[in-house]
Amino acid sequence: MQHVIQSAAQSRTCSHLPLFILRCIIVANKMATSASASLSKAVKQQYMELPQGDKVQAMYIWIDGTGEGLRCKTRTLDSEPKSIEDLPEWNFDGSSTYQSEGSNSDMYLIPAAMFRDPFRKDPNKLVLCEVLKYNRKPTETNLRLTCKKVMDMVADQHPWFGMEQEYTILGTDGHPFGWPSNGFPGPQGPYYCGVGADKAYGRDIVEAHYRACLYAGVQICGTNAEVMPAQWEFQVGPCEGIDMGDHLWVARFILHRVCEDFGVVTSFDPKPIPGNWNGAGCHTNFSTKEMREDGGLKAIEDSIERLAKRHSYHIRAYDPKGGLDNARRLTGRHETSNIHEFSAGVANRGASIRIPRNVGQEKKGYFEDRRPSANCDPYSVTEALIRTCLLNEEGDEPADY
């Protein structure tokens, strides 16, 4: 039926159809977008162009109690901050973000990383924050604190990361962007790195996000359309140490905001559409100074051997629900490994760990851990890799330093 409607809409005889049928065609193909997306951006721009004097707007961003959602609010500063030390601590109501009880709800926002604001533009800032409870202890979803401690322990090994963030663009009704409202698009095959209106769904969002990240100072290094239509990927890196988590979280925030402007939703669900459709991961590339130097393949192989002995620990660390989300994705199909088995191989995209072919040939470089889910916490993923590969931890629980 959907194809009939689309054909009718494109037909030369469309002008002879009754007005009622034409309206039905438009409604049938209309994507569900937010009401705010229909507000006049030209009117808003009149106000955004007003001078702001010496004042600066700083948008404080933090991870909420779900471990996946992001929250934000803005405060005025008297002058442009030049470093994190220039930014004051702040607070918020944790009972409304799944982070505290209403009877003791004040939480502290501790500035951790600062970026240029691509929405309000210079001199305004985006400020990524850690969250502390009333007693100054980290909240359960503040995984940055321990990640930073672990990264500092191995700083002399210069760990580099690059993360490949897959995501799916949805309408506000949860339906994939550009998909027929009462059916499915054609099977997977033509969409990966595809070009054309019938293959690339939502490129305007991708381009806006890319440029906004570059403006902000996020270490974004690429993007491409993915295997499932309306699914895309952007890559962040190489980033050293704690910067990986900071830059990926801010890139996610910017994507959410860009989608908000377009009236659609971005999903990091690892398997947004069940059935014969690819899931969404966050493949993580990792190396150390030793791995990148001549003969570094030996260090890569040693790390993979340690990872093989700690598979269950990493599966728990690689999605916010301890592996339950990833179980829907890591089935051994659709370019994934089986969640219950560890595997590694050269140029094998069906393995847990992939060694790129050029790395195998040059005997140095990096490896790719393909297990992390799209909704993973990058602090958790990068910390787990450091603990196992560089601190030589064993067993199913992390060591307490």
Side-chain angles (χ1 to χ4, degrees):
M1 179 63 183
Q2 181 66 25
H3 296 298
V4 173
I5 292 174
Q6 288 176 333
S7 297
Q10 296 166 0
S11 170
R12 290 184 179 179
T13 62
C14 189
S15 59
H16 302 295
L17 291 173
L19 183 59
F20 171 76
I21 295 178
L22 284 173
R23 285 175 176 166
C24 288
I25 291 170
I26 293 169
V27 170
N29 286 280
K30 186 174 176 60
M31 192 73 200
T33 58
S34 68
S36 59
S38 64
L39 297 175
S40 172
K41 305 304 179 184
V43 172
K44 174 191 171 186
Q45 191 58 29
Q46 293 181 42
Y47 298 100
M48 297 305 292
E49 290 173 355
L50 292 173
Q52 60 187 74
D54 295 329
K55 303 294 185 180
V56 171
Q57 291 173 281
M59 180 173 283
Y60 281 42
I61 304 162
W62 69 97
I63 302 162
D64 69 17
T66 66
E68 300 179 63
L70 287 163
R71 307 294 179 113
C72 65
K73 65 176 186 172
T74 301
R75 69 181 300 162
T76 301
L77 305 177
D78 291 332
S79 60
E80 182 178 0
K82 303 301 182 184
S83 69
I84 286 296
E85 288 70 31
D86 296 335
L87 293 163
E89 291 185 10
W90 207 8
N91 57 66
F92 68 96
D93 170 19
S95 68
S96 298
T97 60
Y98 316 114
Q99 288 171 295
S100 71
E101 298 292 333
S103 58
N104 192 9
S105 64
D106 279 358
M107 314 289 283
Y108 296 104
L109 290 172
I110 313 299
M114 182 170 65
F115 297 81
R116 297 169 71 194
D117 187 337
F119 306 102
R120 294 166 174 155
K121 301 181 182 176
D122 290 337
N124 303 300
K125 305 297 181 185
L126 301 180
V127 182
L128 182 66
C129 299
E130 289 189 25
V131 180
L132 302 182
K133 300 178 183 178
Y134 69 94
N135 57 6
R136 309 290 294 187
K137 294 185 181 298
T139 58
E140 286 72 17
T141 54
N142 177 2
L143 304 184
R144 188 183 189 277
L145 199 67
T146 56
C147 182
K148 178 72 162 57
K149 181 186 293 187
V150 166
M151 292 298 174
D152 289 344
M153 292 172 65
V154 298
D156 60 334
Q157 299 189 53
H158 300 285
W160 288 4
F161 302 92
M163 299 186 80
E164 306 169 20
Q165 177 67 71
E166 294 178 334
Y167 63 95
T168 308
I169 303 172
L170 307 175
T172 53
D173 58 357
H175 195 68
F177 182 83
W179 284 34
S181 57
N182 296 314
F184 297 90
Q188 296 183 154
Y191 308 107
Y192 173 71
C193 296
V195 178
D198 58 340
K199 300 179 184 68
Y201 297 13
R203 192 184 297 276
D204 285 355
I205 293 165
V206 175
E207 294 295 340
H209 173 250
Y210 202 149
R211 189 61 60 88
C213 283
L214 289 173
Y215 182 95
V218 170
Q219 196 71 19
I220 189 170
C221 61
T223 188
N224 59 269
E226 267 303 333
V227 178
M228 187 181 81
Q231 185 186 75
W232 294 80
E233 173 184 300
F234 65 88
Q235 303 91 34
V236 175
C239 294
E240 187 165 329
I242 196 66
D243 285 349
M244 184 67 255
D246 291 348
H247 282 243
L248 188 64
W249 272 116
V250 171
R252 286 175 174 177
F253 172 81
I254 292 173
L255 180 58
H256 282 302
R257 277 286 287 104
V258 167
C259 284
E260 181 183 321
D261 283 347
F262 281 96
V264 295
V265 176
T266 186
S267 170
F268 297 115
D269 188 280
K271 188 69 174 178
I273 306 298
N276 195 27
W277 302 97
N278 273 37
C282 194
H283 304 154
T284 301
N285 303 280
F286 173 62
S287 71
T288 62
K289 186 174 184 291
E290 182 183 7
M291 294 177 191
R292 296 187 293 271
E293 293 176 343
D294 289 344
L297 185 60
K298 175 65 166 58
I300 291 173
E301 291 171 341
D302 289 345
S303 289
I304 292 173
E305 188 175 329
R306 295 188 191 101
L307 290 167
K309 298 174 182 176
R310 221 177 182 209
H311 181 60
S312 61
Y313 163 71
H314 282 265
I315 288 298
R316 291 201 312 276
Y318 285 0
D319 84 48
K321 296 182 178 64
L324 294 178
D325 276 348
N326 238 347
R328 295 183 284 120
R329 166 181 163 260
L330 296 179
T331 61
R333 300 181 64 213
H334 305 110
E335 300 181 57
T336 70
S337 59
N338 189 296
I339 194 170
H340 302 296
E341 301 170 358
F342 180 88
S343 58
V346 175
N348 184 356
R349 283 179 164 76
S352 308
I353 304 293
R354 179 181 71 94
I355 299 176
R357 190 172 300 284
N358 66 307
V359 172
Q361 293 170 345
E362 297 175 8
K363 310 297 184 186
K364 64 179 180 180
Y366 67 97
F367 66 84
E368 176 192 46
D369 192 333
R370 297 178 61 82
R371 295 171 292 177
S373 65
N375 62 344
C376 70
D377 188 322
Y379 297 128
S380 178
V381 172
T382 56
E383 178 184 332
L385 284 167
I386 295 298
R387 286 178 176 274
T388 300
C389 298
L390 302 189
L391 297 180
N392 303 329
E393 290 185 16
E394 299 178 349
D396 288 340
E397 298 298 330
D400 187 12
Y401 298 107

